[in-house]
Amino acid sequence: MSDLEPFRAETRAWLADNCPAECRGPLADDEMIWGGRNPTFKTPEHKLWMERMGARGWTAPEWPKEYGGGGLSREEAKVLASELRRIKAQPALNSFGVWMLGPALLAFGTEEQKQRFLPEIVRGEVRWCQGYSEPGAGSDLAAIQTRAEDRGDHWIVNGQKIWTSYADKADWIFCLVRTDPEAPKHLGISFVLFDMRTPGVTTRPITLISGKSPFCETFFDDVRVEKENLVGTLNRGWDVAKHLLAHERTMIGAMGEVGGGRPVGQVALDAIGADDDGRLDEPMLRARIAEMEIDAAAFRLAMERVGDQVKAKQAHPAIASMLKYYGSELNKRRHELLMAAGGADALEWEGERSHDGKTARDWLRTKANSIEGGTSEVQLNIIAKHLLQLPGA
Ligand SMILES: Cc1cc2nc3c(=O)[nH]c(=O)nc-3n(C[C@H](O)[C@H](O)[C@H](O)COP(=O)(O)OP(=O)(O)OC[C@H]3O[C@@H](n4cnc5c(N)ncnc54)[C@H](O)[C@@H]3O)c2cc1C
């Protein structure tokens, strides 16, 4: 018996008792649990599920216990993930706080900031958004123009962010601001946190081709930001921003690994039917699906290997770009195949039979995977320069 078997048995028993039946199986995107000050839950059981997992620290299993996390080792966290998969548990909490801000605070935050912000992130009590991109600063993120003027014990922030996902629903923002306009562009940026209810913050939703949109434009008009909410060193926010981006990119890459929903082969089989040998009766599509599934299996192993390297502090900082690039391209391929497998039915945009065009809307959503968190072209530049060390153009 491996050392982890008692932990597995204990975890399995706890999940059997604590993961409600309503929280197992597929969950639509718009039913996901995001927590926050004004949370919405599909059912009361979903609230319970978030609260129970949060109280145990299992919404952030590997964070230290003193900050509300689960305190699990990497191996234990893998066991927990596999037990959650086994019972098809829905995510107890989706959270930019867990995926992005938390790791940055653990690395750069003061003790006071960690004590203040991390436990409420774990419990899903505060919902965060990301104020990075601006109309003139996307791939060239260090070109941000949002200004923070020093007023002694606080700053006054003015400027505009764009593509701020869920800004209209978020409680707090982690934000890049320019604190030294005279310095070279990477050296005059600071990383600050503030409440979205602060006077002078406004948001305006943006609509997308899929008909749904998480996006907002976010405007700052003389917004007061307390100095205690600076993360890391003044004017060195670029270091914090990059650390956070590595976590964001790994998280987006993981979409390629997870897949979610019914296996593509099964969807195709239902739509097209089987040949005399029980195989998908469409050899070309069958080959493309097999190729994608093999690549996905290899990618899962690569993710696991990199995860171990990160934990052992042996990972190259640019490796997240490789995961982000490959995972998002893989996810796009998977959804292309789902469209191909679904035939004309997959194009249906509205109606009960198609769950209001879920296949088509999900496919369109994946187009954004290779843009959000840094475009595929930019990831390829990073891979070429930092991992492959190719000569610059
Ligand atoms: C779904 C989604 C969610 C997002 N959520 C957020 C959020 O919550 N907060 C936030 O701050 N931002 C968010 N973003 C914004 C995202 O970070 C930017 O869209 C992204 O960084 C690209 O910037 P841009 O849109 O300005 O494109 P641009 O930088 O203008 O790029 C345009 C094109 O030029 C190419 N290009 C640019 N520079 C180079 C180069 N050096 N070499 C080769 N090609 C290049 C790009 O690859 C792209 O194809 C989100 C984006 C999406 C799609």
Side-chain angles (χ1 to χ4, degrees), residues 96 100 128-141 161-167 173-174 176 208 214-216 245 248-249 252 324 365 367-381:
F96 288 5
M100 299 189 228
W128 288 83
C129 65
Q130 177 185 33
Y132 273 32
S133 309
E134 297 183 4
S139 300
D140 185 13
L141 183 60
K161 298 289 171 181
I162 194 165
W163 314 124
T164 331
S165 301
Y166 307 110
I173 186 167
F174 47 90
L176 295 180
L208 289 182
F215 291 134
C216 290
L245 272 176
E248 179 180 7
R249 288 173 178 164
I252 296 170
K324 204 268 165 180
R365 175 62 182 83
K367 303 288 173 202
N369 292 162
S370 43
I371 302 174
E372 59 197 313
T375 66
S376 277
E377 290 78 14
V378 167
Q379 304 319 301
L380 288 172
N381 284 348

Side-chain angles (χ1 to χ4, degrees), residues 142 144 146-148 176-191 233-238:
I144 58 148
T146 292
R147 282 279 294 274
L176 295 180
V177 294
R178 187 158 297 286
T179 34
D180 184 353
E182 310 304 328
K185 64 180 180 180
H186 291 89
L187 299 178
I189 294 172
S190 296
F191 187 106
T233 308
L234 182 68
N235 294 325
R236 299 310 301 262
W238 190 245

Side-chain angles (χ1 to χ4, degrees), residues 37-38 116-117 126-132 157 161-175 192-205 214-221 223-225 229:
R37 289 195 285 238
N38 301 300
R116 176 172 175 204
F117 295 114
V126 173
R127 186 169 178 177
W128 288 83
C129 65
Q130 177 185 33
Y132 273 32
V157 173
K161 298 289 171 181
I162 194 165
W163 314 124
T164 331
S165 301
Y166 307 110
D168 52 344
K169 299 189 174 65
D171 305 313
W172 276 66
I173 186 167
F174 47 90
C175 194
V192 296
L193 313 173
F194 52 95
D195 194 318
M196 291 294 277
R197 290 182 302 199
T198 315
V201 179
T202 47
T203 60
R204 192 160 68 199
F215 291 134
C216 290
E217 291 176 286
T218 308
F219 302 93
F220 308 128
D221 200 1
V223 175
R224 180 185 168 117
V225 176
N229 291 342

